[in-house]
Amino acid sequence: MIAASASTPTFLSALKGLGRRRELIWYLTVDALRKQFSGSVLGLWWVLIKPLFLVGLYAFIFTVVFHPAQGAAQGQAYWIVLLTGLAPWLLLAEPLTAASGAIAANAPLLNKVVFPTEVFPVCRVLSAATSGLAVLAVLMMVLTWKGALGVWAWAMPVAVLVQVIYVMGLAWGLAAVCVTVPDFRQALPFVLNIWMFASPVVYMPAMVPEGWSWLGQINPMWAVIGLYRSLLLENAPPVFGQVAVLSVWAVVSFVGGYLVFLKRRAMFADLV
C-alpha cells in the first residue's frame, strides 16, 4: 500500500510536489516513448507517420469522395485545413487514451514503494502529445514554405499550453475513473469517436446546419480548433470570447481533474 493513501494532501501542496519531481517526470516520459516504439524498425518516425496517414485518408474521403469539403476551406487546400483540426485533436485524443491506463500499467509501484502516483498521467500525456506536436510542426513548416505563416503564429505556444492544461485535468480525472470504473476505459474509444465528429476537425464550422450550432457552446474543442485556425490560417488575433471560454475550460478541467485524482488515489493499490 502506498504511504500517500494514509492522508490526502491539499491541492496546492500536491501541485508543488509535481514541480519538485520534474526530473522524475522527464525520465518517465522519455521511458514511455522508448517503450512505445521499442522493437519497431521505424522507431520514433511512427509519431509522424500515423497522423500523416490519417490526414491523407481524410483528405481523400472529404475531397474525392465527398466534394463539399473542398469548397469550405477558406481559400486553403483542404489538407492544410485538416491539419489545423487534426493537430489539436491529436493533442487531446492520444494523451487521454494513454492516460486511461496509466495507473494499471504501473501497478507494481503502487504496492511496493512510496510513489507520487499523480506523475503517471502527466508522463503519459507528455509522451502521447508528440503526435499532435509533430503534426503542428509539419503544418507550420508547410505554411512557412508557402509564405503563408503570419505574425500571429508566435502565439501558438500559448494556445498549445492552454490546451495541454485542459487535457491534463481530463487525464487525471480519467486515469482515476478508469481504475474505479474499468468499463469506462472500454467505452473511451467510442466516446472519443463521437467527440471527434462533434468537433470541427474534418469540417469547417460554417458547414454545420444552423440547428446544430449549439455544439460549439458545449464543446470546448470548437474553441481550441477555432483558435488554432485563426492564428495559423487567418493570421488574425485571437477572439477574446474564444480565449475566455478556453481558459475557463482549462482551469475547471485542471483543478477538477486533479482533485478527483487526489480523492480517489487511496483506492488505487486495492483495485489495480
Side-chain angles (χ1 to χ4, degrees), residues 9-76:
T10 64
F11 175 81
L12 290 178
S13 64
L15 203 57
K16 290 179 181 177
L18 275 179
R20 291 193 298 268
R21 297 180 179 107
R22 54 187 177 273
E23 291 184 5
L24 173 64
I25 291 173
W26 172 255
Y27 171 79
L28 292 177
T29 300
V30 173
D31 185 61
L33 272 173
R34 188 183 298 116
K35 289 180 179 178
Q36 184 179 356
F37 300 104
S38 62
S40 63
V41 176
L42 296 177
L44 284 174
W45 281 105
W46 282 110
V47 171
L48 192 59
I49 292 172
K50 290 192 294 184
L52 291 184
F53 175 80
L54 284 177
V55 170
L57 176 63
Y58 289 139
F60 173 78
I61 292 174
F62 290 99
T63 59
V64 177
V65 181
F66 298 106
H67 298 287
Q70 186 75 7
Q74 296 180 342
Q76 294 280 357

Side-chain angles (χ1 to χ4, degrees), residues 19 40 59 61 68 78 80 108 141 155 162-163 169 188 201 242 248 250 268:
S40 63
I61 292 174
Y78 175 70
I80 292 181
M141 286 189 289
V162 174
Q163 186 188 357
L188 183 61
V201 176
Q242 218 170 42
V248 170
F268 293 165

Side-chain angles (χ1 to χ4, degrees), residues 5 22 44 80 86 90 97 128 156 196 207 235 249 257 259:
S5 63
R22 54 187 177 273
L44 284 174
I80 292 181
L86 196 61
L90 289 175
T97 301
M156 280 306 304
M196 175 181 170
M207 300 173 65
N235 190 27
W249 275 109
L259 289 176

Side-chain angles (χ1 to χ4, degrees), residues 100-265:
S100 66
I103 305 302
N106 294 279
L109 292 175
L110 299 179
N111 295 297
K112 295 181 179 179
V113 295
V114 177
F115 205 92
T117 53
E118 61 268 26
V119 306
F120 295 142
V122 175
C123 298
R124 288 299 185 96
V125 167
L126 294 178
S127 61
T130 51
S131 291
L133 293 175
V135 171
L136 183 60
V138 169
L139 171 62
M140 296 183 73
M141 286 189 289
V142 169
L143 291 175
T144 300
W145 174 69
K146 294 180 63 177
L149 191 68
V151 294
W152 280 103
W154 67 267
M156 280 306 304
V158 178
V160 171
L161 177 61
V162 174
Q163 186 188 357
V164 169
I165 292 172
Y166 168 69
V167 172
M168 192 64 254
L170 293 181
W172 272 318
L174 181 63
V177 170
C178 285
V179 173
T180 54
V181 187
D183 287 357
F184 196 80
R185 188 178 179 189
Q186 304 303 320
L188 183 61
F190 303 104
V191 173
L192 288 176
N193 278 334
I194 294 172
W195 195 355
M196 175 181 170
F197 287 105
S199 307
V201 176
V202 298
Y203 55 84
M204 301 298 291
M207 300 173 65
V208 177
E210 187 175 347
W212 291 88
S213 59
W214 54 269
L215 282 173
Q217 300 173 3
I218 66 171
N219 184 355
M221 288 306 294
W222 278 64
V224 174
I225 295 171
L227 180 59
Y228 276 56
R229 284 176 173 157
S230 65
L231 295 177
L232 293 174
L233 299 186
E234 302 168 17
N235 190 27
V239 178
F240 175 78
Q242 218 170 42
V243 175
V245 168
L246 181 54
S247 299
V248 170
W249 275 109
V251 172
V252 171
S253 170
F254 188 86
V255 175
Y258 201 20
L259 289 176
V260 168
F261 188 91
L262 293 178
K263 184 176 180 180
R264 290 175 175 250
R265 72 175 182 176

